[in-house]
Every structure is written in structure tokens, then in C-alpha cells.
Amino acid sequence: MHSRFFADPPGAPQIQGLNKDDVLTAGRMKRVTCVSIGGNPLASLRWFRGDEELEARYITQDNYASAEVAFIPFNSDNGGDLRCEAVNSAAAEHPLVASMTLTVNYPPEIVKMSI
């Protein structure tokens, strides 16, 4: 009898710790987590800020995978994307994606006062 390995795509990734209405502060660290439930094998998760891949702490438990990322938002991140991609051997060509558009408050570069 042969044992066969059947690959199942992972569950859609979900971003936790950041809501669409949240306003980040430039220069203040933010931690967010991406979670994908199910799949065989469990999903590999990758975080991106725009085109830049961010280093994340990857953890697997019984039937889910998670990746936590800590990043410092910059002025230039305002209106940019933060996204998590979930992939495994069943979804290798088409990663599942969760993304958020960042809103970042930052101080003006120049303050001009006149009396």
C-alpha cells in the first residue's frame, strides 16, 4: 500500500492587529500578525510593505500558521500597501493575499511662522 500526499490550499490569510480605519504614527513601531488556517501543508506566510519583503516571526500550531511582523511606518508609507501572502504546494502559482492601505500621520517637514 502506498501512502499518497494530497496538497490542499491554505485558508485565506487574515491580518490581525490592524484595521482599515487605523491611523499609524510615523516613527512609532507597529506589530501585526497574519494568520492562515488549514492547508496541507500549512501555509508559508510572507509580509510585504510595498515591494519590500519584511522579516517576520513565523509560527505553526496544530492547524494554522502565523507570521508576526514589527515595522516602523515612515511618511512615505502613507497610502502605501502592507500585505501578507500565503502559499503552499497546492497554491504555489497563485498566493492568497490579504492587504491593507496604510494611513500614517506624520509631522510637517517645514513649519513656517509669521507675525
Side-chain angles (χ1 to χ4, degrees), residues 8-14 35-41 43 45 63 86-88 96-97:
D8 290 318
Q14 298 175 12
V35 176
S36 173
I37 298 172
N40 186 19
L45 301 170
N63 70 332
V87 67
N88 71 2
L96 301 168
V97 177

Side-chain angles (χ1 to χ4, degrees), residues 11-16 33-37 43 45 47 64-67 84 86 98:
Q14 298 175 12
I15 295 174
Q16 299 176 346
T33 303
C34 180
V35 176
S36 173
I37 298 172
L45 301 170
W47 276 106
Y64 73 92
S66 69
C84 175

